[in-house]
Amino acid sequence: MQLAMINDKIMAMEDVDSAYLDRGLFFGDGVYEVLRSYNGKIFALDDHFTRFANSLKAIEITSVDVADIRSKVLKAFDKAAIANAKIYFHITRGSGVRDHLPKADLKPNFFLTISELKDNPKLKNEGVAVSTYPDIRWKRCDIKSLNLLPNVLAKGDADKKGAWEAVFVNDDGLITEGSSSAFFGIVKGKLRTSPLKANILPSITRKYVELAANNIGLPTAEKSLTPKEAQVADELFLAVTTKDIIPVVKFDGQPIADAKPGKWTKLLIEEFKKFIA
Amino acid sequence: MQLAMINDKIMAMEDVDSAYLDRGLFFGDGVYEVLRSYNGKIFALDDHFTRFANSLKAIEITSVDVADIRSKVLKAFDKAAIANAKIYFHITRGSGVRDHLPKADLKPNFFLTISELKDNPKLKNEGVAVSTYPDIRWKRCDIKSLNLLPNVLAKGDADKKGAWEAVFVNDDGLITEGSSSAFFGIVKGKLRTSPLKANILPSITRKYVELAANNIGLPTAEKSLTPKEAQVADELFLAVTTKDIIPVVKFDGQPIADAKPGKWTKLLIEEFKKFIA
């Protein structure tokens, strides 16, 4: 008899729901996306699906029809009828007996949630604090995978320090990105952010921030900041799908400039709105 | 209305089973153990629970009573009545709305499976092939966490190359460990394996292999091998809970010595049996 136990309940293996045998749970063997809508329209849908297809390919989940997933997402979004929605979805390699080596006939699992995004004007108007955390993540952070334990640990550490977000600092002493955001600084009249490599998620919002910067005549340099540079930057901000641009006014306890959202940051927030209209 | 979709089915969020909202699934936010029994007795039970407690502590899951988990495991093992069993269990931080920052009141989820371990004498008698894979894992491999995607990718790569296991090679050109095993070499009359650091799982079987080596007068040096050293080693083998010692007879396509299990490896296999009796 093969046997399972879920919390306090012992049962035969054949009575275990496949949700408990998901490779997403056993191994984090899956990839995900987070989208948002503004006023009934999903932002940067194509960008997100391009990245999603890249993530699937990178971990060799080959049996998924991305067009089908896109239809599913649109169908659910339509059904939810939430104007300003947060859409989360993931695909895992499938459910089955736990074995690192996946069986060839696995059927990928799809899971999605749609919830209302509540506006939090305080974050944008007053800015947030960030704290640093060692970048202990794996070497393929360009894949948007379900292996997010270091991000969870970093966020928890930030919270303990009274910060809203953690930014990772790698072994070279460079800031890579936030635990669930891209990180930007404005230094000597230039927008600075990390170049896209295997250790950085190709943030969609980052792309639109760079477009916005271009539109308002703010030159961009893809060069990572050190924590020391960040503390004396003119301005700092985060970019994240669900909140677009969030000013950073404190870095590891140190106020940034006058500890208020900077002028370029505010201009970028305004310019970003044009992409949404 | 908050909405979810599981495969093709759209439903209200409140109808979603908590298994789909497990932080183990969203983030790999959990830790696990694999134990085995020999003839009705669980091997190295204390060692596994000591490591499990360390893993829980490292990711700050603090509300779990390890003694209670131990009772659960023993209860299930008793009920299963399988003499040679593989016992897998994990604890995740709990289920809830997806948010990197865990809510304070989360209730950890426990999941266990017990299945029969079938003997595979061919592996021990003939040995296996291994292939190398870059060690792209995170920097806390000493924590036995559910973030195992790189291990899955490595195992898949090995399989494609006709190898039974992948061994990770880090940026310094050193072999760390297998995707789900510890790695050993015998070089110039010495047993060699990686020292236990943050990049290595403290393998329980490794500990008993070192004890066995001591018992048979084989000196041990905790010094990682390079792939080049491995290819010309006298002997190689893997250590893993479910199979104790498995000889390695091929490394990246290169036969090891006469491509047969080595004499020390066979002596260690025999000596290991004394721990089980």
Side-chain angles (χ1 to χ4, degrees):
Chain A
M1 179 194 170
Q2 313 275 299
L3 178 148
M5 190 170 184
I6 299 174
N7 295 319
D8 288 309
K9 203 179 159 198
I10 293 178
M11 63 191 78
M13 199 77 94
E14 55 264 36
D15 295 332
V16 175
D17 189 283
S18 65
Y20 293 93
L21 303 174
D22 195 325
R23 293 178 63 87
L25 179 56
F26 288 142
F27 304 109
D29 193 2
V31 292
Y32 75 105
E33 279 293 328
V34 179
L35 299 91
R36 72 156 294 170
S37 69
Y38 291 95
N39 304 316
K41 193 170 171 246
I42 298 176
F43 183 70
L45 185 66
D46 288 346
D47 293 304
H48 282 281
F49 273 95
T50 299
R51 183 171 69 182
F52 186 60
N54 288 341
S55 292
L56 283 170
K57 196 177 164 196
I59 70 164
E60 299 181 42
I61 294 183
T62 52
S63 60
V64 170
D65 179 355
V66 176
D68 173 56
I69 301 303
R70 190 178 166 125
S71 303
K72 280 193 168 80
V73 169
L74 293 177
K75 190 178 154 192
F77 176 63
D78 196 49
K79 177 100 177 173
I82 298 171
N84 294 296
K86 174 181 178 172
I87 305 168
Y88 167 87
F89 68 91
H90 69 226
I91 289 272
T92 70
R93 203 180 303 272
S95 293
V97 171
R98 184 181 182 277
D99 191 341
H100 284 70
L101 189 65
K103 298 267 174 301
D105 60 350
L106 286 173
K107 203 175 152 281
N109 293 323
F110 172 73
F111 178 74
L112 164 148
T113 60
I114 302 185
S115 52
E116 192 166 356
L117 263 179
K118 307 234 167 20
D119 232 12
N120 188 346
K122 202 171 169 243
L123 288 181
K124 270 203 167 48
N125 295 339
E126 299 180 12
V128 298
V130 301
S131 56
T132 53
Y133 194 82
D135 198 342
I136 57 172
R137 299 174 303 163
W138 74 324
K139 297 201 167 118
R140 290 302 307 275
C141 294
D142 57 323
I143 303 172
K144 205 164 167 75
S145 89
L146 300 177
N147 275 213
L148 294 170
L149 181 51
N151 307 59
V152 166
L153 298 177
K155 192 76 102 183
D157 180 74
D159 187 62
K160 273 184 214 159
K161 292 170 175 164
W164 187 78
E165 171 64 307
V167 295
F168 289 115
V169 178
N170 70 16
D171 287 351
D172 298 327
L174 300 173
I175 296 169
T176 50
E177 59 191 331
S179 80
S180 60
S181 62
F183 182 78
F184 293 81
I186 292 162
V187 179
K188 293 174 189 160
K190 266 192 187 159
L191 181 65
R192 292 263 302 273
T193 196
S194 296
L196 293 183
K197 291 184 186 163
N199 64 341
I200 299 277
L201 181 78
S203 155
I204 310 292
T205 318
R206 173 187 186 278
K207 174 183 152 177
Y208 286 92
V209 164
E210 292 192 345
L211 266 176
N214 190 54
N215 291 352
I216 63 172
L218 174 63
T220 300
E222 293 199 348
K223 188 170 177 273
S224 305
L225 285 89
T226 65
K228 214 172 155 183
E229 284 176 314
Q231 286 195 323
V232 298
D234 300 331
E235 305 180 25
L236 300 176
F237 65 89
L238 303 168
V240 53
T241 288
T242 49
K243 295 176 181 70
D244 50 78
I245 296 170
I246 299 288
V248 170
V249 295
K250 211 185 253 187
F251 186 99
D252 271 346
Q254 181 80 26
I256 302 306
D258 61 356
K260 285 178 185 159
K263 64 170 185 180
W264 283 112
T265 304
K266 287 193 275 190
L267 284 169
L268 287 168
I269 289 173
E270 285 310 305
E271 187 65 25
F272 198 96
K273 286 181 185 162
K274 295 181 188 166
F275 301 134
I276 300 158
Chain B
M1 179 193 167
Q2 314 272 302
L3 179 147
M5 189 170 185
I6 299 173
N7 295 321
D8 288 309
K9 203 179 160 198
I10 293 178
M11 63 192 79
M13 198 77 92
E14 56 263 36
D15 295 333
V16 176
D17 190 282
S18 66
Y20 293 93
L21 303 174
D22 195 323
R23 294 179 63 88
L25 180 57
F26 289 142
F27 304 110
D29 193 2
V31 291
Y32 75 105
E33 279 294 326
V34 178
L35 298 91
R36 75 154 293 172
S37 68
Y38 291 94
N39 304 316
K41 192 168 172 247
I42 299 176
F43 183 70
L45 185 66
D46 288 345
D47 294 303
H48 283 280
F49 273 95
T50 299
R51 183 171 70 183
F52 185 61
N54 288 341
S55 293
L56 283 169
K57 196 178 164 195
I59 70 164
E60 299 181 41
I61 295 183
T62 53
S63 61
V64 170
D65 179 354
V66 175
D68 173 56
I69 301 302
R70 189 178 166 126
S71 301
K72 280 192 167 80
V73 169
L74 293 176
K75 190 179 156 192
F77 176 64
D78 196 48
K79 177 99 178 174
I82 299 172
N84 294 297
K86 175 182 178 173
I87 305 168
Y88 167 87
F89 68 90
H90 68 225
I91 288 274
T92 70
R93 203 180 303 272
S95 294
V97 171
R98 184 183 182 276
D99 190 341
H100 285 70
L101 189 65
K103 298 269 174 301
D105 60 351
L106 286 173
K107 204 176 152 282
N109 293 322
F110 172 73
F111 178 74
L112 164 148
T113 60
I114 301 185
S115 52
E116 192 165 356
L117 263 179
K118 307 230 167 23
D119 233 10
N120 188 344
K122 200 170 169 245
L123 290 181
K124 271 202 167 47
N125 295 338
E126 298 180 13
V128 299
V130 303
S131 57
T132 53
Y133 194 82
D135 197 344
I136 57 172
R137 299 173 303 162
W138 74 324
K139 297 201 166 115
R140 290 301 308 275
C141 294
D142 56 324
I143 303 171
K144 204 164 170 72
S145 89
L146 300 177
N147 275 214
L148 294 170
L149 182 51
N151 307 59
V152 166
L153 297 177
K155 192 76 102 181
D157 180 73
D159 188 61
K160 275 184 211 158
K161 292 171 176 164
W164 187 78
E165 172 64 307
V167 294
F168 289 115
V169 178
N170 71 14
D171 288 351
D172 297 328
L174 300 173
I175 296 169
T176 50
E177 59 190 331
S179 79
S180 58
S181 62
F183 181 78
F184 293 81
I186 291 161
V187 179
K188 292 176 190 159
K190 265 191 189 162
L191 180 66
R192 292 262 302 272
T193 195
S194 297
L196 293 183
K197 291 184 186 162
N199 64 343
I200 300 276
L201 181 78
S203 156
I204 310 291
T205 317
R206 172 188 188 277
K207 174 183 151 179
Y208 287 92
V209 165
E210 293 192 344
L211 267 176
N214 190 55
N215 290 352
I216 62 172
L218 173 64
T220 300
E222 293 200 346
K223 186 169 177 270
S224 305
L225 284 90
T226 65
K228 214 172 155 182
E229 284 176 313
Q231 285 194 324
V232 298
D234 300 329
E235 306 180 25
L236 299 175
F237 65 88
L238 303 168
V240 53
T241 288
T242 50
K243 295 175 182 69
D244 50 78
I245 296 170
I246 299 287
V248 170
V249 295
K250 212 185 252 189
F251 186 98
D252 272 346
Q254 181 79 26
I256 301 306
D258 62 355
K260 285 179 186 160
K263 65 169 184 183
W264 283 112
T265 304
K266 286 193 275 189
L267 284 171
L268 286 168
I269 289 172
E270 286 310 305
E271 187 64 24
F272 198 96
K273 285 181 186 163
K274 296 182 188 165
F275 301 135
I276 299 156

